Amino acid sequence: MTNNLFTYPLVFLLLILFSRIYIVLAKKYNIVDIPNERSSHTTIITRGGGILFILGLLLYFGISFFNYPYFISSAFFLAIISFIDDLKSLSVKQRLPIQFIAIFFTLFEINNTVSIPIVVIIALVFVGVVAINFFNFIDGINGMLGLYSLSVISLIQILNSVEKIIDETLIYTLILSLIVFGYYNFRKRALFFSGDVGSMVMGLTIFFLISYLIIALEAPVLILFVIVYLTDTGGTVIKRLLEKKNILKPHREHIYEQLANEVEIPHLKISIIYALLQFAFGVVALALYNKELSVQLLVVFIMILIMGIVYLVLINYFKKYLEQ
């Protein structure tokens, strides 16, 4: 898609305007996050700021003359159910059907361009639902969601600038929405949190972009674009299962949360480390995405093994640290 000189400045200004309007409305209607025993913050903060991401997608939908309709529609309905969940907690049974539908139509969007076998679609629907729920945990500390997502989407744009598979206007619009969001969230004392509406929509978006590239390029090594958070969340889920804990119950046992809450490393430093580490793994993927499939799978296996070992070392460290 070709844009004129004013497209991105206009999108940027509209996102800033939306953010200001949302803060006013959130304060008026008491859409806030009150600290509890599992929180990593100590003051009342506006939540639901991640509504900027769906607003950014809707702006893109308009300026692109309705490109990616199935994906955008999926993100829109997922945003609605997630925002309702931010306002009043919904049960898993209420949220899951929309999530499955959103993932299915997101994959259907990809299938319009790149044919996907029905068996693979069915498998990816379940993978996608797990993935977006994993990503939903990323808003635990200041800066994490914004910086980590910015790192991932920057990697996607670097690859896409070569392969020209995804409309770059979508990617740049996402980057602008993350920059505006970061202005409020990348602070020692955040002005607002993403909420489920932001983390779920961003999770769906990253799932769409990475899945699109993996399928179109036949490059499974691109899973390394999200390996850092995948390891943290996946490892934490496995750990809680082994400890016979409810994996659906909110907690703060992720590595990044323990670094913030137990070791007391500043939130922004942790967020920067995660973003930079993820970018480094992404560079490896960029160097190998056009190599033979066997080479890619071997590298993915080695990287997952390394990250798994790192996870176990850190978990053991936290255990000893807390016992002191």
Side-chain angles (χ1 to χ4, degrees), residues 33-35 41-46 189-190 193:
D33 193 290
I34 300 174
H41 63 288
T42 56
T43 58
I44 296 176
I45 298 174
T46 300
R189 291 186 177 181
F193 290 150

Side-chain angles (χ1 to χ4, degrees), residues 23 84 99 117 186 224 285:
I23 286 178
I84 293 173
Q99 293 174 9
F186 189 71
L224 295 183

Side-chain angles (χ1 to χ4, degrees), residues 1 3 8 60 157 160-161 164 166-173:
M1 173 188 158
N3 298 289
Y8 295 123
Y60 163 77
Q157 175 52 23
N160 191 63
S161 66
K164 308 294 184 184
I166 299 163
D167 183 1
E168 68 175 10
T169 303
L170 170 60
I171 300 175
Y172 286 130
T173 301

